[in-house]
Amino acid sequence: ALEGSRIVNCLAASNTVNGIVGGNGSVIIENCIARGNANGSIGAGPDSVIRNCVADYNNGGVFVGPAGLIEHCTTVSNVGDGFVVAAQGRIINSVSYSNTANGIFLGDGCTAEGCTASFNLQTGIILGKDSTASGCTTRSNGNAGYYLNTGSRAVNSLADGNSFYGFNCTSSNAT
């Protein structure tokens, strides 16, 4: 899709490459489902919005480029990370469940608000440098609930029943 495009109320299922690709930026993808695609589910470039979407049983979760927004989305049983949010992006009120890698991977300077990451095989939420998780829940993930990097913060968040650490701070600058 070209910049300024909208992809709305669509289903992409069992495609041999990607399900829904939002191009290079400023694309809106909403109310869509990506299911069983061989090389990726839903992805969009910088300044894009992915809202009210579901990605399940794909080879790859949902990706948004720098300064993008993911809101009210769900990823279930994808190969790899459930959500990947590039630098300066935001993810709000989204759920990542039972993916084969991390639930939510935040790039540098990102924010996760009100998100849940449960039963993912690796870490629930990985926070890049200077990123924040606020009001989030991680539960029963295969590694840490939260992995905090330099300057990152977890605030008013819960880590419950994760296999190793609830909150893993590897830098003295993480809070």
Side-chain angles (χ1 to χ4, degrees), residues 94-152:
S94 294
V95 175
S96 180
Y97 182 85
S98 195
N99 297 286
T100 66
N102 303 297
I104 301 171
F105 185 95
L106 301 174
D108 294 345
C110 290
T111 302
E113 300 171 28
C115 294
T116 300
S118 301
F119 297 98
N120 298 288
L121 291 183
Q122 294 180 14
T123 298
I125 301 176
I126 293 182
L127 291 90
K129 182 180 174 190
D130 299 321
S131 291
T132 301
S134 178
C136 294
T137 299
T138 63
R139 184 170 281 123
S140 301
N141 293 288
N143 198 328
Y146 299 84
Y147 183 94
L148 291 85
N149 282 292
T150 303
S152 60

Side-chain angles (χ1 to χ4, degrees), residues 46-100:
D47 300 308
S48 292
V49 175
I50 301 172
R51 182 180 293 125
N52 299 321
C53 292
V54 175
D56 55 9
Y57 306 101
N58 299 286
N59 188 11
V62 175
F63 169 83
V64 70
L69 170 66
I70 296 172
E71 185 176 29
H72 299 288
C73 292
T74 302
T75 61
V76 178
S77 298
N78 295 290
V79 173
D81 294 335
F83 293 104
V84 176
V85 182
Q88 309 304 317
R90 295 187 310 147
I91 181 169
I92 301 171
N93 297 326
S94 294
V95 175
S96 180
Y97 182 85
S98 195
N99 297 286
T100 66

